[in-house]
Amino acid sequence: MSDFPTTTRVVIIGGGVVGASCAYHIAKAGWDCVLLEKNELTAGSTWHAAGNCPSFSSSWAIMNMQRYSLELYRGLADEVDYPMNYHVTGSIRLAHSKERMLEFERARAMGRYQGLDLEMIAVSDMKERYPFMETHDLAGGLYDPDDGDIDPAQLTQALAKGARQMGASIQRFCPATGVTRKGDTWIVHTEKGDITCEKVVNAAGYYAQRVGEWFKPYGGRTVPMAVMSHQFFLTEPVAELEAWSKENGKLPLLRDVDSSYYLRQEKMGLNLGPYERNCKGHWMTPDDPMPDDFSFQLYPDDLERLEWYIEDAMARVPILGASGVGRVINGPIPYAPDGLPLIGPMPGVPNAFEACVFTFGITQGGGAGKVLAEWVTEGQTEWDMWAVDPRRYTDYTDQDYCDQKAIEVYGHEYAMHFPHHEWPAGRDKKLSPVHDKIVSQGGVMGAYNGWERANWFAQPGDDTSEESTQTWTRSGPWQQRIKEECEAVRDAAGVIAISGFTRLSVEGPGARDHIDALTCSALPQPGRVGLAYFPDDRGRILTEMSVIPQSDEAIWLITAAVAQWHDRDVLLRNLPEGVEIHDRSTKYECFLVTGPKARDMLAPLTDADLTLPWLSYQEAEVCGAPCVLLRVSFAGELGWEVHCLTSDAPAIYDVILNAGAKPFGMYALNSLRIEKGYRAWKGDLSTDYTMLEGGLDRFVKLDKPQEFPGKAALQNEKQQGVKKRFVTLTVDAGAYDAPYMSTLWYDGQVVGETTSGDWGYRANTSIALGMVKANLATPGTELHIDIYGEMRKAVVQPEEPLWDPQNERLRA
């Protein structure tokens, strides 16, 4: 016991591959850390993982993380002097349809931008790489030369050895039993004694929810996750495969993503791992409780569940049926509601972090450790990692939601995520007071931070089936309706219920000074509305909020629904004593009434002064109910946001509709905002870009007397000159608008990327917003965008909105 550490900077709870990677990277950053594992390292999901190592992802952040992992693994054995079985065999992903080939084209382009050599392959070339495969019904495929497999136990031990070599302490057979917060420090309790530390990391795998309960007294919440049964089996040796391998080496890993399984050579046999639609969750019901210890255990075999997938795989690769089943692995795999892990600050809890709920922990483990270590030691990450940030989920993620989504995601593990598709499980968690009315009007709903909002309004006879959304094109039953909704806003007036806006208030002596010290922007005076931007220490874009001062001691802020817990954390930074933050997001509803006839439409309904200028704020009555009116419009037309109590919302909505406003949805709003060049959070606005790169110069007040995060970095960047610039592009796009992170090309070279794209129905063109090398941001510059494998011409536009460039309609 004499060498048991009682103090350290960081304690990591959980000794799987992710926990070991966190220890490795935190130690590499020069910080002391202790890793606690209640059993042996790799206990949990790591030891029974298949160990596949793809770089492929349709997520930019996940691809970054996996790319880093594979780079790390290539040299790790030599670095720490620990031998590992790591086979880089390459892989082939099969496509049965044009839509799947378009997904592959998009991933190929993203991969090339990150330095990956992903390659589209024709059906005629597949037999050369995989001679045992039937190809008659395929459309093509994607080849990933960096894919392969690694021994999960050896990888974990190598990371642990590297962590020890750099000073980390790894305590095996040392269960953590709880935590206590004392002042600004944590005390982590174990069976061997207490450890005092600055920061704690929950890397407890499928036990993360149990560990998360310890943090509830300090502001925590239930970790959003569920546990699924993943089953794969290994065959006995296959004679034909053995003969071929002696001459040619190991087969590439095969993924039939449309049928939903992977097939990998395992020694001289095969390993088949399906993600079956008729999947099974565990530990979800009272009659199936999670055991106290399941460290090196498995579930009973259940191959009948996989029957269709086995038959399909045998038809694809007939030698799979040439040998019997040698071993079945059926073990627990944790799932977050979207299938992506939780990496980053623990919501609501100071100096606590999560690196847990990994569905693909082996290929993501290396990158996860890097990202988590950056959060812990620097307070920010190299890449924008919102895709895995635990704060992307808020209070709607009850266990029913998590269970439903885990089953849905597992059964659609390789699904394509089409731009107009909404996944049906776990819906209706937050309903606005006008929800039923909107649905009765034909609202086709989408979920935004759990809130149901109309994406578009269908008319009788329109196809609103899930099948109709299985396309990458802009065309579909929604297209004509979005056009009509945009035209109504352009020519008359429309109304949209923007339920679930995040509404925060900062109150107490020094409230205004506190916010002033967090933003690079100038704050408005009472009676006015201002847009404020909040940079991080590097001058990168953390978030934007609408600021509505009531006084120096009471500041209202409105921000995106999904930013609720993220932006709360932004405001909590260096919060002075006596200043409090209140969240009133559920107390109010918001209707945006906008269009050239909005004033005439609202005038008979309210006692508000509708002659007050753009960016004004007033309290008034609408239909006799108290409201707050903000003269702003994300649609870029004359308009007001009408904020009212939820109890008054149904009556107010009915009166606005009866006055002639046409309901419009989020798809139309996105089209309208992109024509104005308005940025969307975590697309156009992210920590991948600085304030100046983002074209937000007019909001950056470097002459403010207050210091603010990133001020020195922004001053230096302004002096040195920005390397990238935000641009608006008109695109000869054909049938497809540019998705997020499509590559921009000039003279045969990648020179930037799109951050969002859509069709502008007022401007009558496809539009992309993006980032490009500063020397190419000149209006009139012709670029090309790789949109699903097609190079489409794009032209840089002047630094003004495409629609109403002088904002005359907005200020009317």
Side-chain angles (χ1 to χ4, degrees):
M1 293 293 292
S2 61
D3 61 347
F4 182 77
T6 57
T7 60
T8 188
R9 296 195 75 178
V10 186
V11 170
I12 302 158
I13 301 171
V17 65
V18 173
S21 181
C22 290
Y24 171 91
H25 285 90
I26 290 171
K28 193 172 185 178
W31 281 43
D32 297 332
C33 63
V34 175
L35 183 150
L36 302 174
E37 167 53 49
K38 70 177 181 179
N39 200 292
E40 180 57 90
L41 295 180
T42 77
S45 296
T46 297
W47 76 272
H48 64 74
N52 298 332
C53 289
S55 62
F56 175 96
S57 178
S58 58
S59 162
W60 180 259
I62 294 293
M63 182 179 279
N64 251 329
M65 200 163 64
Q66 293 178 173
R67 171 184 56 79
Y68 174 88
S69 290
L70 304 194
E71 290 172 359
L72 173 68
Y73 299 168
R74 288 188 194 101
L76 185 62
D78 291 339
E79 177 193 330
V80 303
D81 191 24
Y82 192 97
M84 289 190 295
N85 290 318
Y86 182 26
H87 310 110
V88 180
T89 60
S91 71
I92 301 173
R93 286 176 183 259
L94 306 181
H96 293 235
S97 65
K98 176 186 176 183
E99 287 73 25
R100 184 66 77 174
M101 289 294 281
L102 293 176
E103 181 201 44
F104 288 173
E105 288 281 12
R106 171 161 157 66
R108 176 200 57 79
M110 289 199 306
R112 287 292 175 91
Y113 198 9
Q114 290 195 17
L116 301 171
D117 293 324
L118 301 177
E119 174 189 346
M120 300 296 293
I121 56 173
V123 174
S124 57
D125 297 329
M126 288 183 179
K127 283 275 193 180
E128 182 179 345
R129 299 179 193 248
Y130 204 107
F132 304 109
M133 177 171 52
E134 296 296 322
T135 62
H136 61 280
D137 58 343
L138 298 175
L142 180 79
Y143 181 68
D144 178 358
D146 298 316
D147 207 338
D149 62 272
I150 198 167
D151 184 296
Q154 292 175 341
L155 171 61
T156 304
Q157 295 292 352
L159 289 165
K161 184 178 181 182
R164 290 189 190 99
Q165 289 172 347
M166 292 182 286
S169 171
I170 295 181
Q171 299 292 317
R172 298 152 48 239
F173 303 103
C174 182
T177 58
V179 297
T180 301
R181 182 87 173 148
K182 189 173 182 180
D184 292 332
T185 62
W186 288 103
I187 301 171
V188 180
H189 309 296
T190 82
E191 293 185 355
K192 296 182 180 179
D194 291 347
I195 306 175
T196 300
C197 61
E198 297 175 28
K199 302 185 180 185
V200 184
V201 179
N202 179 357
Y206 54 71
Y207 281 101
Q209 195 173 81
R210 283 192 175 178
V211 170
E213 294 299 299
W214 303 341
F215 294 88
K216 279 189 172 179
Y218 309 104
R221 87 303 182 213
T222 300
V223 175
M225 62 173 290
V227 177
M228 298 298 297
S229 156
H230 179 56
Q231 192 170 200
F232 61 93
F233 69 82
L234 313 175
T235 72
E236 299 287 357
V238 179
E240 192 174 350
L241 176 59
E242 187 169 3
W244 184 88
S245 296
K246 287 178 180 177
E247 296 290 328
N248 301 281
K250 197 172 181 180
L251 280 171
L253 195 152
L254 194 69
R255 287 186 183 84
D256 194 330
V257 289
D258 290 310
S259 292
S260 193
Y261 59 78
Y262 60 82
L263 184 67
R264 189 183 89 201
Q265 182 174 344
E266 189 77 22
K267 296 182 179 178
M268 294 305 163
L270 292 166
N271 172 341
L272 177 68
Y275 291 92
E276 68 277 15
R277 293 287 175 88
N278 55 325
C279 53
K280 184 176 181 180
H282 273 284
W283 309 332
M284 291 181 173
T285 58
D287 61 349
D288 181 27
M290 175 183 279
D292 289 333
D293 190 3
F294 203 74
S295 295
F296 288 100
Q297 300 177 56
L298 296 171
Y299 303 129
D301 300 352
D302 189 12
L303 287 181
E304 289 184 12
R305 203 168 76 224
L306 308 184
E307 185 176 348
W308 183 91
Y309 301 88
I310 295 170
E311 291 176 355
D312 189 81
M314 287 171 58
R316 179 69 56 204
V317 181
I319 63 168
L320 177 62
S323 186
V325 174
R327 188 184 179 199
V328 178
I329 308 292
N330 185 12
I333 301 290
Y335 268 75
D338 60 2
L340 304 182
L342 306 177
I343 314 172
M346 185 182 295
V349 185
N351 287 335
F353 300 84
E354 292 174 340
C356 53
V357 200
F358 281 78
T359 298
F360 296 101
I362 305 306
T363 193
Q364 293 169 4
K370 165 190 159 60
V371 170
L372 191 282
E374 289 168 348
W375 272 122
V376 168
T377 65
E378 301 174 34
Q380 54 202 14
T381 54
E382 177 185 358
W383 316 307
D384 189 284
M385 296 303 296
W386 179 247
V388 297
D389 194 305
R391 296 167 296 182
R392 71 190 188 273
Y393 294 117
T394 61
D395 58 356
Y396 64 94
T397 57
D398 58 20
Q399 198 57 50
D400 171 70
Y401 175 87
C402 294
D403 292 348
Q404 285 190 51
K405 296 303 288 186
I407 290 168
E408 180 179 66
V409 171
Y410 184 99
H412 299 83
E413 186 60 69
Y414 295 124
M416 292 174 276
H417 297 275
F418 297 105
H420 293 96
H421 177 252
E422 293 281 341
W423 292 98
R427 298 296 296 275
D428 293 350
K429 288 300 177 181
K430 289 188 174 183
L431 303 181
S432 81
V434 295
H435 175 78
D436 291 344
K437 178 75 172 184
I438 288 172
V439 171
S440 73
Q441 293 172 304
V444 181
M445 310 304 284
Y448 298 82
N449 193 34
W451 288 93
E452 294 292 324
R453 296 179 185 169
N455 282 329
W456 61 286
F457 284 85
Q459 298 299 315
D462 287 347
D463 184 0
T464 59
S465 67
E466 191 175 354
E467 289 73 22
S468 71
T469 66
Q470 309 292 308
T471 178
W472 301 107
T473 67
R474 85 176 65 86
S475 63
W478 51 81
Q479 187 177 20
Q480 178 61 25
R481 303 301 170 223
I482 297 171
K483 180 175 185 289
E484 292 165 357
E485 292 169 22
C486 291
E487 289 172 345
V489 172
R490 179 195 68 191
D491 298 336
V495 59
I496 180 172
I498 313 179
S499 306
F501 258 147
T502 296
R503 295 174 176 84
L504 303 169
S505 67
V506 180
E507 300 176 18
R512 184 183 181 95
D513 290 342
H514 172 60
I515 296 172
D516 228 350
L518 295 174
T519 176
C520 61
S521 305
L523 297 183
Q525 295 302 313
R528 301 289 291 167
V529 182
L531 199 57
Y533 285 88
F534 295 76
D536 68 10
D537 293 335
R538 302 162 296 184
R540 298 188 187 184
I541 307 165
L542 270 182
T543 192
E544 67 169 11
M545 302 190 211
S546 294
V547 182
I548 309 144
Q550 305 302 293
S551 69
D552 287 351
E553 296 188 1
I555 311 291
W556 294 354
L557 302 111
I558 299 177
T559 183
V562 73
Q564 185 177 11
W565 285 3
H566 175 281
D567 285 5
R568 175 192 64 186
D569 280 3
V570 171
L571 297 175
L572 282 169
R573 181 174 178 173
N574 300 323
L575 188 70
E577 188 174 348
V579 176
E580 296 181 340
I581 295 172
H582 301 278
D583 189 329
R584 299 189 175 96
S585 301
T586 59
K587 186 176 179 179
Y588 300 98
E589 178 61 280
C590 174
F591 302 114
L592 170 59
V593 183
T594 185
K597 297 182 180 179
R599 179 181 284 116
D600 296 338
M601 193 170 292
L602 279 174
L605 311 179
T606 180
D607 62 356
D609 181 357
L610 300 182
T611 66
L612 292 181
W614 185 46
L615 299 179
S616 62
Y617 147 86
Q618 60 184 309
E619 296 184 38
E621 288 188 352
V622 177
C623 306
C627 294
V628 171
L629 273 68
L630 309 183
R631 190 172 166 191
V632 295
S633 173
F634 201 48
E637 299 281 354
L638 171 68
W640 286 263
E641 287 182 2
V642 179
H643 296 261
C644 62
L645 294 171
T646 55
S647 57
D648 294 327
I652 292 173
Y653 188 55
D654 281 345
V655 171
I656 292 172
L657 290 172
N658 291 336
K662 180 180 177 65
F664 67 102
M666 296 299 292
Y667 290 166
L669 185 62
N670 191 64
S671 169
L672 295 163
R673 70 95 188 167
I674 210 168
E675 291 174 307
K676 295 293 292 182
Y678 295 160
R679 279 64 154 176
W681 191 64
K682 289 308 179 189
D684 315 301
L685 303 171
S686 82
T687 56
D688 283 332
Y689 309 116
T690 70
M691 296 289 302
L692 300 182
E693 287 174 337
L696 302 170
D697 310 52
R698 68 186 185 279
F699 296 100
V700 179
K701 307 301 181 184
L702 293 175
D703 57 352
K704 279 179 63 168
Q706 299 89 347
E707 289 298 315
F708 57 82
K711 186 174 184 178
L714 289 167
Q715 286 172 327
N716 182 64
E717 184 183 17
K718 187 169 186 177
Q719 184 178 6
Q720 299 295 324
V722 296
K723 297 178 181 178
K724 283 181 166 184
R725 289 298 290 182
F726 179 87
V727 292
T728 298
L729 303 154
T730 55
V731 189
D732 175 22
Y736 309 94
D737 297 311
Y740 176 67
M741 284 295 168
S742 299
T743 47
L744 297 173
W745 291 75
Y746 180 81
D747 196 23
Q749 300 291 321
V750 176
V751 293
E753 67 274 0
T754 62
T755 53
S756 57
D758 204 346
W759 185 267
Y761 290 92
R762 293 175 300 191
N764 196 34
T765 186
S766 184
I767 303 166
L769 307 182
M771 305 294 296
V772 69
K773 289 184 177 180
N775 64 308
L776 297 173
T778 306
T781 302
E782 289 192 7
L783 307 172
H784 283 83
I785 306 179
D786 186 341
I787 302 178
Y788 301 115
E790 286 190 30
M791 287 295 187
R792 310 296 303 198
K793 189 174 91 169
V795 179
V796 177
Q797 299 301 303
E799 288 188 55
E800 60 186 19
L802 281 176
W803 177 251
D804 187 25
Q806 302 305 313
N807 289 328
E808 294 170 352
R809 297 168 67 93
L810 198 64
R811 299 173 184 268

